[in-house]
Short mmCIF file of all heavy atoms in Angstrom, two decimals:
data_model
loop_
_atom_site.label_atom_id
_atom_site.label_comp_id
_atom_site.label_asym_id
_atom_site.label_seq_id
_atom_site.Cartn_x
_atom_site.Cartn_y
_atom_site.Cartn_z
N MET A 1 0.85 -1.18 0.00
CA MET A 1 0.00 0.00 0.00
C MET A 1 0.89 1.24 0.00
O MET A 1 1.88 1.32 0.71
CB MET A 1 -0.88 -0.04 1.24
CG MET A 1 -1.86 1.06 1.33
SD MET A 1 -3.03 0.88 0.05
CE MET A 1 -4.57 0.98 0.68
N ALA A 2 0.54 2.19 -0.83
CA ALA A 2 1.33 3.41 -0.94
C ALA A 2 1.16 4.26 0.31
O ALA A 2 0.08 4.34 0.87
CB ALA A 2 0.88 4.20 -2.16
N ARG A 3 2.26 4.87 0.68
CA ARG A 3 2.18 5.83 1.78
C ARG A 3 1.64 7.13 1.23
O ARG A 3 1.78 7.45 0.05
CB ARG A 3 3.57 6.02 2.38
CG ARG A 3 4.06 4.74 3.08
CD ARG A 3 5.47 4.92 3.49
NE ARG A 3 6.28 4.96 2.29
CZ ARG A 3 7.49 4.45 2.18
NH1 ARG A 3 8.05 3.90 3.22
NH2 ARG A 3 8.16 4.52 1.06
N LEU A 4 0.99 7.88 2.08
CA LEU A 4 0.30 9.09 1.65
C LEU A 4 1.22 10.06 0.93
O LEU A 4 0.86 10.60 -0.12
CB LEU A 4 -0.37 9.76 2.86
CG LEU A 4 -1.22 10.97 2.56
CD1 LEU A 4 -2.34 10.62 1.60
CD2 LEU A 4 -1.79 11.54 3.83
N PHE A 5 2.42 10.27 1.43
CA PHE A 5 3.31 11.26 0.81
C PHE A 5 3.72 10.84 -0.60
O PHE A 5 4.08 11.67 -1.42
CB PHE A 5 4.54 11.54 1.67
CG PHE A 5 5.53 10.42 1.74
CD1 PHE A 5 6.53 10.31 0.80
CD2 PHE A 5 5.46 9.47 2.75
CE1 PHE A 5 7.46 9.29 0.85
CE2 PHE A 5 6.38 8.45 2.82
CZ PHE A 5 7.38 8.35 1.86
N GLU A 6 3.63 9.55 -0.91
CA GLU A 6 3.97 9.09 -2.25
C GLU A 6 2.87 9.43 -3.26
O GLU A 6 3.08 9.35 -4.47
CB GLU A 6 4.22 7.58 -2.26
CG GLU A 6 5.45 7.19 -1.46
CD GLU A 6 5.59 5.70 -1.30
OE1 GLU A 6 4.57 4.98 -1.38
OE2 GLU A 6 6.73 5.24 -1.09
N LEU A 7 1.71 9.82 -2.77
CA LEU A 7 0.60 10.15 -3.64
C LEU A 7 0.41 11.66 -3.81
O LEU A 7 -0.41 12.10 -4.63
CB LEU A 7 -0.69 9.53 -3.10
CG LEU A 7 -0.68 8.01 -3.01
CD1 LEU A 7 -1.96 7.52 -2.33
CD2 LEU A 7 -0.52 7.39 -4.39
N VAL A 8 1.17 12.44 -3.08
CA VAL A 8 1.02 13.90 -3.14
C VAL A 8 1.26 14.42 -4.54
O VAL A 8 0.51 15.26 -5.04
CB VAL A 8 1.94 14.59 -2.12
CG1 VAL A 8 1.99 16.09 -2.35
CG2 VAL A 8 1.48 14.28 -0.71
N SER A 9 2.29 13.93 -5.21
CA SER A 9 2.62 14.46 -6.54
C SER A 9 1.51 14.20 -7.56
O SER A 9 1.25 15.04 -8.41
CB SER A 9 3.96 13.94 -7.03
OG SER A 9 3.97 12.53 -7.02
N ILE A 10 0.83 13.06 -7.47
CA ILE A 10 -0.26 12.79 -8.41
C ILE A 10 -1.44 13.72 -8.11
O ILE A 10 -2.10 14.21 -9.03
CB ILE A 10 -0.68 11.31 -8.43
CG1 ILE A 10 -1.63 11.01 -9.60
CG2 ILE A 10 -1.35 10.88 -7.16
CD1 ILE A 10 -1.04 11.13 -10.94
N CYS A 11 -1.67 14.00 -6.85
CA CYS A 11 -2.74 14.93 -6.49
C CYS A 11 -2.42 16.33 -7.00
O CYS A 11 -3.30 17.02 -7.53
CB CYS A 11 -2.96 14.94 -4.99
SG CYS A 11 -3.60 13.38 -4.35
N LEU A 12 -1.18 16.75 -6.85
CA LEU A 12 -0.76 18.06 -7.36
C LEU A 12 -0.87 18.11 -8.88
O LEU A 12 -1.35 19.10 -9.45
CB LEU A 12 0.68 18.36 -6.96
CG LEU A 12 0.90 18.84 -5.54
CD1 LEU A 12 2.39 18.93 -5.24
CD2 LEU A 12 0.25 20.19 -5.33
N ALA A 13 -0.45 17.04 -9.54
CA ALA A 13 -0.52 16.99 -11.00
C ALA A 13 -1.95 17.17 -11.47
O ALA A 13 -2.22 17.93 -12.40
CB ALA A 13 0.04 15.66 -11.50
N ARG A 14 -2.87 16.49 -10.82
CA ARG A 14 -4.28 16.59 -11.20
C ARG A 14 -4.83 17.99 -10.91
O ARG A 14 -5.60 18.53 -11.71
CB ARG A 14 -5.09 15.52 -10.46
CG ARG A 14 -4.78 14.13 -10.97
CD ARG A 14 -5.41 13.07 -10.12
NE ARG A 14 -5.22 11.74 -10.70
CZ ARG A 14 -5.42 10.62 -10.04
NH1 ARG A 14 -5.85 10.64 -8.79
NH2 ARG A 14 -5.23 9.46 -10.64
N ALA A 15 -4.44 18.56 -9.79
CA ALA A 15 -4.91 19.91 -9.44
C ALA A 15 -4.40 20.94 -10.45
O ALA A 15 -5.16 21.79 -10.91
CB ALA A 15 -4.47 20.27 -8.03
N TYR A 16 -3.13 20.85 -10.78
CA TYR A 16 -2.57 21.77 -11.78
C TYR A 16 -3.27 21.59 -13.12
O TYR A 16 -3.57 22.57 -13.81
CB TYR A 16 -1.07 21.56 -11.96
CG TYR A 16 -0.22 22.13 -10.85
CD1 TYR A 16 0.77 21.35 -10.23
CD2 TYR A 16 -0.36 23.45 -10.43
CE1 TYR A 16 1.56 21.86 -9.23
CE2 TYR A 16 0.45 23.97 -9.42
CZ TYR A 16 1.40 23.17 -8.83
OH TYR A 16 2.20 23.70 -7.85
N ALA A 17 -3.53 20.36 -13.51
CA ALA A 17 -4.22 20.09 -14.79
C ALA A 17 -5.61 20.71 -14.79
O ALA A 17 -6.04 21.30 -15.79
CB ALA A 17 -4.29 18.59 -15.05
N MET A 18 -6.30 20.60 -13.68
CA MET A 18 -7.65 21.18 -13.58
C MET A 18 -7.62 22.70 -13.70
O MET A 18 -8.57 23.31 -14.18
CB MET A 18 -8.32 20.76 -12.28
CG MET A 18 -8.72 19.29 -12.27
SD MET A 18 -9.32 18.68 -10.69
CE MET A 18 -10.61 19.82 -10.28
N GLN A 19 -6.51 23.31 -13.27
CA GLN A 19 -6.35 24.76 -13.35
C GLN A 19 -5.84 25.20 -14.73
O GLN A 19 -5.73 26.38 -15.00
CB GLN A 19 -5.38 25.26 -12.29
CG GLN A 19 -5.89 25.11 -10.88
CD GLN A 19 -4.85 25.55 -9.86
OE1 GLN A 19 -3.65 25.58 -10.12
NE2 GLN A 19 -5.32 25.90 -8.68
N GLY A 20 -5.48 24.23 -15.56
CA GLY A 20 -4.94 24.55 -16.87
C GLY A 20 -3.45 24.84 -16.87
O GLY A 20 -2.91 25.32 -17.85
N ASP A 21 -2.77 24.53 -15.78
CA ASP A 21 -1.33 24.76 -15.65
C ASP A 21 -0.59 23.49 -16.09
O ASP A 21 -0.19 22.66 -15.28
CB ASP A 21 -1.00 25.11 -14.20
CG ASP A 21 0.44 25.54 -14.01
OD1 ASP A 21 1.28 25.29 -14.91
OD2 ASP A 21 0.73 26.13 -12.95
N ARG A 22 -0.41 23.38 -17.40
CA ARG A 22 0.20 22.16 -17.96
C ARG A 22 1.65 21.97 -17.53
O ARG A 22 2.08 20.85 -17.31
CB ARG A 22 0.10 22.18 -19.48
CG ARG A 22 -1.30 21.98 -19.97
CD ARG A 22 -1.28 21.78 -21.48
NE ARG A 22 -2.61 21.59 -21.97
CZ ARG A 22 -3.25 22.45 -22.75
NH1 ARG A 22 -2.64 23.54 -23.14
NH2 ARG A 22 -4.47 22.21 -23.15
N GLY A 23 2.40 23.05 -17.45
CA GLY A 23 3.81 22.95 -17.08
C GLY A 23 4.01 22.34 -15.71
O GLY A 23 4.77 21.38 -15.55
N ASN A 24 3.34 22.89 -14.72
CA ASN A 24 3.47 22.34 -13.36
C ASN A 24 2.84 20.97 -13.25
O ASN A 24 3.31 20.13 -12.49
CB ASN A 24 2.87 23.30 -12.34
CG ASN A 24 3.81 24.43 -12.00
OD1 ASN A 24 5.02 24.26 -11.96
ND2 ASN A 24 3.26 25.60 -11.78
N SER A 25 1.79 20.75 -14.01
CA SER A 25 1.16 19.44 -14.00
C SER A 25 2.13 18.39 -14.52
O SER A 25 2.30 17.32 -13.91
CB SER A 25 -0.11 19.45 -14.86
OG SER A 25 -0.74 18.18 -14.83
N ARG A 26 2.78 18.68 -15.62
CA ARG A 26 3.75 17.72 -16.18
C ARG A 26 4.90 17.45 -15.20
O ARG A 26 5.34 16.32 -15.05
CB ARG A 26 4.28 18.24 -17.50
CG ARG A 26 3.23 18.20 -18.60
CD ARG A 26 3.76 18.69 -19.90
NE ARG A 26 4.69 17.69 -20.42
CZ ARG A 26 5.35 17.82 -21.54
NH1 ARG A 26 5.21 18.89 -22.28
NH2 ARG A 26 6.16 16.87 -21.95
N LYS A 27 5.37 18.51 -14.54
CA LYS A 27 6.46 18.34 -13.57
C LYS A 27 6.01 17.42 -12.43
O LYS A 27 6.76 16.55 -11.98
CB LYS A 27 6.89 19.69 -12.99
CG LYS A 27 7.67 20.53 -13.95
CD LYS A 27 8.01 21.87 -13.33
CE LYS A 27 8.60 22.83 -14.33
NZ LYS A 27 8.85 24.15 -13.75
N ALA A 28 4.80 17.61 -11.95
CA ALA A 28 4.29 16.79 -10.85
C ALA A 28 4.10 15.34 -11.30
O ALA A 28 4.41 14.41 -10.56
CB ALA A 28 2.99 17.36 -10.31
N TYR A 29 3.60 15.15 -12.53
CA TYR A 29 3.49 13.79 -13.06
C TYR A 29 4.87 13.15 -13.17
O TYR A 29 5.05 11.98 -12.81
CB TYR A 29 2.81 13.77 -14.43
CG TYR A 29 1.31 13.73 -14.39
CD1 TYR A 29 0.56 14.83 -14.81
CD2 TYR A 29 0.63 12.61 -13.94
CE1 TYR A 29 -0.83 14.81 -14.78
CE2 TYR A 29 -0.76 12.58 -13.91
CZ TYR A 29 -1.48 13.67 -14.33
OH TYR A 29 -2.85 13.64 -14.30
N ASP A 30 5.85 13.90 -13.66
CA ASP A 30 7.21 13.37 -13.78
C ASP A 30 7.76 12.95 -12.42
O ASP A 30 8.41 11.91 -12.29
CB ASP A 30 8.14 14.40 -14.43
CG ASP A 30 7.87 14.59 -15.91
OD1 ASP A 30 7.26 13.68 -16.53
OD2 ASP A 30 8.27 15.64 -16.44
N GLU A 31 7.49 13.76 -11.40
CA GLU A 31 7.92 13.41 -10.04
C GLU A 31 7.24 12.12 -9.57
O GLU A 31 7.87 11.24 -8.98
CB GLU A 31 7.61 14.56 -9.09
CG GLU A 31 8.11 14.34 -7.68
CD GLU A 31 7.81 15.53 -6.78
OE1 GLU A 31 7.94 16.68 -7.25
OE2 GLU A 31 7.47 15.29 -5.61
N PHE A 32 5.95 12.02 -9.85
CA PHE A 32 5.21 10.81 -9.50
C PHE A 32 5.81 9.59 -10.19
O PHE A 32 6.05 8.55 -9.56
CB PHE A 32 3.73 10.97 -9.88
CG PHE A 32 2.91 9.73 -9.65
CD1 PHE A 32 2.46 9.41 -8.38
CD2 PHE A 32 2.57 8.90 -10.70
CE1 PHE A 32 1.69 8.27 -8.17
CE2 PHE A 32 1.82 7.76 -10.50
CZ PHE A 32 1.37 7.44 -9.23
N PHE A 33 6.07 9.70 -11.49
CA PHE A 33 6.62 8.57 -12.23
C PHE A 33 8.02 8.20 -11.74
O PHE A 33 8.38 7.02 -11.72
CB PHE A 33 6.63 8.85 -13.73
CG PHE A 33 5.26 8.99 -14.33
CD1 PHE A 33 4.97 10.00 -15.22
CD2 PHE A 33 4.24 8.09 -14.00
CE1 PHE A 33 3.70 10.13 -15.77
CE2 PHE A 33 2.97 8.21 -14.54
CZ PHE A 33 2.71 9.23 -15.43
N THR A 34 8.80 9.18 -11.34
CA THR A 34 10.13 8.90 -10.79
C THR A 34 10.01 8.12 -9.49
O THR A 34 10.72 7.14 -9.27
CB THR A 34 10.90 10.21 -10.56
OG1 THR A 34 11.07 10.88 -11.82
CG2 THR A 34 12.26 9.95 -9.93
N THR A 35 9.08 8.54 -8.63
CA THR A 35 8.87 7.86 -7.35
C THR A 35 8.39 6.42 -7.57
O THR A 35 8.78 5.53 -6.83
CB THR A 35 7.82 8.62 -6.51
OG1 THR A 35 8.29 9.95 -6.31
CG2 THR A 35 7.60 7.96 -5.17
N TRP A 36 7.60 6.21 -8.59
CA TRP A 36 6.98 4.91 -8.83
C TRP A 36 7.69 4.11 -9.93
O TRP A 36 7.14 3.14 -10.45
CB TRP A 36 5.51 5.12 -9.21
CG TRP A 36 4.67 5.53 -8.04
CD1 TRP A 36 4.70 6.72 -7.37
CD2 TRP A 36 3.68 4.75 -7.38
NE1 TRP A 36 3.80 6.72 -6.35
CE2 TRP A 36 3.15 5.53 -6.35
CE3 TRP A 36 3.19 3.46 -7.58
CZ2 TRP A 36 2.15 5.06 -5.50
CZ3 TRP A 36 2.18 3.01 -6.74
CH2 TRP A 36 1.68 3.80 -5.71
N LYS A 37 8.91 4.49 -10.29
CA LYS A 37 9.59 3.86 -11.42
C LYS A 37 9.80 2.35 -11.27
O LYS A 37 9.84 1.64 -12.26
CB LYS A 37 10.91 4.56 -11.70
CG LYS A 37 11.99 4.36 -10.66
CD LYS A 37 13.23 5.15 -11.02
CE LYS A 37 14.38 4.93 -10.09
NZ LYS A 37 14.19 5.23 -8.70
N ASP A 38 9.91 1.86 -10.06
CA ASP A 38 10.13 0.44 -9.84
C ASP A 38 8.85 -0.32 -9.48
O ASP A 38 8.90 -1.51 -9.18
CB ASP A 38 11.17 0.23 -8.73
CG ASP A 38 12.53 0.79 -9.12
OD1 ASP A 38 12.89 0.71 -10.31
OD2 ASP A 38 13.23 1.32 -8.25
N ALA A 39 7.73 0.36 -9.54
CA ALA A 39 6.45 -0.26 -9.16
C ALA A 39 5.95 -1.19 -10.27
O ALA A 39 6.32 -1.07 -11.44
CB ALA A 39 5.41 0.82 -8.89
N ASP A 40 5.09 -2.08 -9.89
CA ASP A 40 4.41 -2.96 -10.84
C ASP A 40 3.60 -2.07 -11.79
O ASP A 40 2.77 -1.28 -11.34
CB ASP A 40 3.50 -3.91 -10.07
CG ASP A 40 2.75 -4.88 -10.95
OD1 ASP A 40 2.71 -4.68 -12.19
OD2 ASP A 40 2.19 -5.84 -10.41
N PRO A 41 3.80 -2.17 -13.10
CA PRO A 41 3.09 -1.30 -14.03
C PRO A 41 1.59 -1.52 -14.09
O PRO A 41 0.86 -0.70 -14.67
CB PRO A 41 3.74 -1.61 -15.38
CG PRO A 41 4.40 -2.92 -15.21
CD PRO A 41 4.74 -3.05 -13.76
N ASP A 42 1.11 -2.58 -13.48
CA ASP A 42 -0.32 -2.86 -13.50
C ASP A 42 -1.07 -2.30 -12.29
O ASP A 42 -2.27 -2.53 -12.15
CB ASP A 42 -0.57 -4.37 -13.60
CG ASP A 42 -0.15 -4.90 -14.97
OD1 ASP A 42 -0.32 -4.16 -15.96
OD2 ASP A 42 0.33 -6.04 -15.05
N ILE A 43 -0.38 -1.57 -11.43
CA ILE A 43 -1.05 -0.94 -10.29
C ILE A 43 -2.03 0.09 -10.84
O ILE A 43 -1.66 0.93 -11.67
CB ILE A 43 -0.03 -0.29 -9.33
CG1 ILE A 43 0.84 -1.36 -8.68
CG2 ILE A 43 -0.72 0.57 -8.29
CD1 ILE A 43 1.97 -0.82 -7.84
N PRO A 44 -3.28 0.02 -10.41
CA PRO A 44 -4.30 0.90 -10.99
C PRO A 44 -3.97 2.40 -10.97
O PRO A 44 -4.19 3.08 -11.98
CB PRO A 44 -5.54 0.60 -10.15
CG PRO A 44 -5.35 -0.81 -9.70
CD PRO A 44 -3.86 -0.94 -9.48
N ILE A 45 -3.44 2.91 -9.89
CA ILE A 45 -3.17 4.35 -9.85
C ILE A 45 -2.06 4.73 -10.82
O ILE A 45 -2.09 5.80 -11.43
CB ILE A 45 -2.85 4.85 -8.41
CG1 ILE A 45 -2.88 6.37 -8.39
CG2 ILE A 45 -1.51 4.33 -7.92
CD1 ILE A 45 -3.25 6.97 -7.10
N LEU A 46 -1.11 3.85 -11.03
CA LEU A 46 -0.04 4.11 -11.99
C LEU A 46 -0.57 4.06 -13.42
O LEU A 46 -0.24 4.92 -14.24
CB LEU A 46 1.10 3.11 -11.78
CG LEU A 46 2.35 3.31 -12.62
CD1 LEU A 46 2.92 4.72 -12.46
CD2 LEU A 46 3.40 2.27 -12.25
N ARG A 47 -1.40 3.10 -13.71
CA ARG A 47 -2.01 3.02 -15.04
C ARG A 47 -2.87 4.25 -15.32
O ARG A 47 -2.83 4.81 -16.41
CB ARG A 47 -2.85 1.74 -15.17
CG ARG A 47 -1.96 0.51 -15.25
CD ARG A 47 -2.70 -0.80 -15.39
NE ARG A 47 -3.98 -0.70 -16.05
CZ ARG A 47 -5.00 -1.51 -15.81
NH1 ARG A 47 -4.89 -2.47 -14.92
NH2 ARG A 47 -6.13 -1.37 -16.45
N GLN A 48 -3.63 4.68 -14.32
CA GLN A 48 -4.48 5.86 -14.48
C GLN A 48 -3.62 7.11 -14.69
O GLN A 48 -3.94 7.94 -15.54
CB GLN A 48 -5.38 6.04 -13.26
CG GLN A 48 -6.31 7.21 -13.35
CD GLN A 48 -7.36 7.08 -14.44
OE1 GLN A 48 -7.81 5.99 -14.74
NE2 GLN A 48 -7.73 8.19 -15.05
N ALA A 49 -2.56 7.24 -13.92
CA ALA A 49 -1.68 8.40 -14.05
C ALA A 49 -1.05 8.45 -15.44
O ALA A 49 -0.95 9.52 -16.05
CB ALA A 49 -0.60 8.37 -12.98
N LYS A 50 -0.65 7.31 -15.96
CA LYS A 50 -0.06 7.27 -17.31
C LYS A 50 -1.08 7.70 -18.36
O LYS A 50 -0.74 8.43 -19.30
CB LYS A 50 0.48 5.88 -17.62
CG LYS A 50 1.74 5.56 -16.85
CD LYS A 50 2.24 4.16 -17.16
CE LYS A 50 3.51 3.86 -16.39
NZ LYS A 50 4.02 2.50 -16.67
N ALA A 51 -2.32 7.26 -18.20
CA ALA A 51 -3.37 7.66 -19.14
C ALA A 51 -3.64 9.16 -19.06
O ALA A 51 -3.80 9.83 -20.09
CB ALA A 51 -4.65 6.87 -18.85
N GLU A 52 -3.67 9.70 -17.85
CA GLU A 52 -3.89 11.14 -17.66
C GLU A 52 -2.74 11.94 -18.27
O GLU A 52 -2.96 12.97 -18.92
CB GLU A 52 -4.02 11.47 -16.17
CG GLU A 52 -5.27 10.91 -15.53
CD GLU A 52 -5.23 10.95 -14.01
OE1 GLU A 52 -4.26 11.49 -13.42
OE2 GLU A 52 -6.17 10.44 -13.40
N TYR A 53 -1.51 11.47 -18.05
CA TYR A 53 -0.33 12.16 -18.58
C TYR A 53 -0.34 12.15 -20.10
O TYR A 53 -0.05 13.15 -20.75
CB TYR A 53 0.94 11.50 -18.04
CG TYR A 53 2.20 12.21 -18.43
CD1 TYR A 53 2.60 13.35 -17.76
CD2 TYR A 53 3.02 11.72 -19.45
CE1 TYR A 53 3.78 14.01 -18.10
CE2 TYR A 53 4.19 12.37 -19.79
CZ TYR A 53 4.56 13.51 -19.12
OH TYR A 53 5.72 14.16 -19.46
N LYS A 54 -0.71 11.01 -20.66
CA LYS A 54 -0.78 10.89 -22.12
C LYS A 54 -1.80 11.87 -22.68
O LYS A 54 -1.54 12.55 -23.68
CB LYS A 54 -1.15 9.46 -22.51
CG LYS A 54 -1.14 9.20 -23.98
CD LYS A 54 -1.43 7.74 -24.28
CE LYS A 54 -1.42 7.49 -25.77
NZ LYS A 54 -1.69 6.08 -26.07
N LYS A 55 -2.94 11.97 -22.04
CA LYS A 55 -3.97 12.91 -22.47
C LYS A 55 -3.48 14.35 -22.34
O LYS A 55 -3.71 15.18 -23.23
CB LYS A 55 -5.23 12.70 -21.63
CG LYS A 55 -6.39 13.55 -22.05
CD LYS A 55 -7.62 13.24 -21.21
CE LYS A 55 -8.77 14.15 -21.57
NZ LYS A 55 -9.94 13.91 -20.73
N LEU A 56 -2.80 14.65 -21.25
CA LEU A 56 -2.27 16.00 -21.01
C LEU A 56 -1.26 16.38 -22.08
O LEU A 56 -1.32 17.47 -22.64
CB LEU A 56 -1.62 16.07 -19.62
CG LEU A 56 -0.98 17.40 -19.24
CD1 LEU A 56 -2.06 18.42 -18.91
CD2 LEU A 56 -0.05 17.21 -18.06
N THR A 57 -0.35 15.47 -22.39
CA THR A 57 0.68 15.78 -23.39
C THR A 57 0.09 15.82 -24.79
O THR A 57 0.53 16.61 -25.62
CB THR A 57 1.85 14.79 -23.31
OG1 THR A 57 1.37 13.46 -23.46
CG2 THR A 57 2.59 14.93 -21.99
N ALA A 58 -0.92 14.99 -25.06
CA ALA A 58 -1.57 15.03 -26.38
C ALA A 58 -2.31 16.34 -26.56
O ALA A 58 -2.28 16.94 -27.64
CB ALA A 58 -2.53 13.85 -26.52
N THR A 59 -2.96 16.81 -25.51
CA THR A 59 -3.69 18.08 -25.56
C THR A 59 -2.71 19.23 -25.77
O THR A 59 -2.97 20.13 -26.55
CB THR A 59 -4.49 18.30 -24.26
OG1 THR A 59 -5.37 17.19 -24.07
CG2 THR A 59 -5.28 19.58 -24.30
N ALA A 60 -1.58 19.17 -25.11
CA ALA A 60 -0.57 20.22 -25.25
C ALA A 60 0.00 20.22 -26.67
O ALA A 60 0.19 21.28 -27.27
CB ALA A 60 0.55 20.04 -24.23
N SER A 61 0.23 19.05 -27.23
CA SER A 61 0.75 18.95 -28.60
C SER A 61 -0.26 19.48 -29.60
O SER A 61 0.08 20.18 -30.54
CB SER A 61 1.09 17.50 -28.93
OG SER A 61 2.12 17.04 -28.10
N ALA A 62 -1.53 19.14 -29.40
CA ALA A 62 -2.58 19.61 -30.30
C ALA A 62 -2.71 21.12 -30.22
O ALA A 62 -2.88 21.80 -31.24
CB ALA A 62 -3.91 18.94 -29.95
N ALA A 63 -2.62 21.67 -29.02
CA ALA A 63 -2.71 23.13 -28.85
C ALA A 63 -1.54 23.83 -29.52
O ALA A 63 -1.70 24.87 -30.16
CB ALA A 63 -2.78 23.48 -27.37
N ALA A 64 -0.35 23.25 -29.40
CA ALA A 64 0.82 23.85 -30.01
C ALA A 64 0.72 23.80 -31.54
O ALA A 64 1.05 24.76 -32.22
CB ALA A 64 2.09 23.12 -29.55
N SER A 65 0.21 22.70 -32.07
CA SER A 65 0.02 22.58 -33.51
C SER A 65 -1.01 23.57 -34.01
O SER A 65 -0.82 24.21 -35.05
CB SER A 65 -0.42 21.16 -33.87
OG SER A 65 0.58 20.24 -33.57
N ALA A 66 -2.09 23.73 -33.28
CA ALA A 66 -3.14 24.65 -33.68
C ALA A 66 -2.65 26.08 -33.66
O ALA A 66 -2.96 26.87 -34.57
CB ALA A 66 -4.36 24.49 -32.77
N SER A 67 -1.87 26.45 -32.66
CA SER A 67 -1.38 27.82 -32.58
C SER A 67 -0.35 28.09 -33.68
O SER A 67 -0.26 29.19 -34.20
CB SER A 67 -0.79 28.13 -31.21
OG SER A 67 0.38 27.40 -30.99
N GLY A 68 0.39 27.07 -34.06
CA GLY A 68 1.35 27.21 -35.15
C GLY A 68 0.68 27.38 -36.48
O GLY A 68 1.16 28.09 -37.37
N LYS A 69 -0.46 26.75 -36.69
CA LYS A 69 -1.20 26.86 -37.94
C LYS A 69 -1.87 28.22 -38.09
O LYS A 69 -2.08 28.68 -39.20
CB LYS A 69 -2.27 25.76 -38.02
CG LYS A 69 -1.67 24.39 -38.21
CD LYS A 69 -2.76 23.34 -38.27
CE LYS A 69 -2.16 21.94 -38.38
NZ LYS A 69 -3.20 20.91 -38.37
N LYS A 70 -2.21 28.85 -36.97
CA LYS A 70 -2.90 30.14 -37.02
C LYS A 70 -1.97 31.27 -37.41
O LYS A 70 -2.40 32.31 -37.84
CB LYS A 70 -3.54 30.46 -35.65
CG LYS A 70 -4.71 29.57 -35.33
CD LYS A 70 -5.30 29.94 -34.00
CE LYS A 70 -6.45 29.01 -33.63
NZ LYS A 70 -6.99 29.32 -32.31
N GLN A 71 -0.68 31.08 -37.25
CA GLN A 71 0.28 32.16 -37.51
C GLN A 71 0.58 32.30 -38.97
O GLN A 71 0.39 31.67 -39.84
CB GLN A 71 1.57 31.91 -36.75
CG GLN A 71 1.35 32.01 -35.28
CD GLN A 71 2.63 31.74 -34.48
OE1 GLN A 71 3.66 31.40 -35.04
NE2 GLN A 71 2.55 31.92 -33.18
#
């Protein structure tokens, strides 16, 4: 079972994402993944975090592409 402090970074990542702060959200996700790098990849919270991160980075890439096309 994860200790509470090991889950703080995922909570921060989600909070930053909800605020639209992609930069800090990505940093918090990266910290979470670093902490959990040796964990079983099938742990539900880790799988969920990876899916959220993928969505966050895909959204950021799409936004960057769209802003580049408008110029």
Side-chain angles (χ1 to χ4, degrees):
M1 184 66 130
R3 293 173 291 216
L4 185 59
F5 71 88
E6 294 172 336
L7 299 175
V8 169
S9 55
I10 191 67
C11 294
L12 281 173
R14 290 172 175 166
Y16 284 130
M18 288 173 53
Q19 293 177 338
D21 187 344
R22 289 189 180 113
N24 280 325
S25 181
R26 290 181 71 181
K27 287 178 189 177
Y29 274 112
D30 289 339
E31 184 178 320
F32 175 79
F33 294 136
T34 299
T35 302
W36 287 69
K37 70 182 184 302
D38 296 325
D40 181 346
D42 291 325
I43 293 174
I45 192 152
L46 185 54
R47 288 181 28 210
Q48 181 66 33
K50 287 179 180 180
E52 292 166 4
Y53 185 79
K54 184 176 180 180
K55 184 177 176 183
L56 178 75
T57 56
T59 303
S61 296
S65 295
S67 67
K69 290 180 183 177
K70 290 181 182 177
Q71 294 179 355

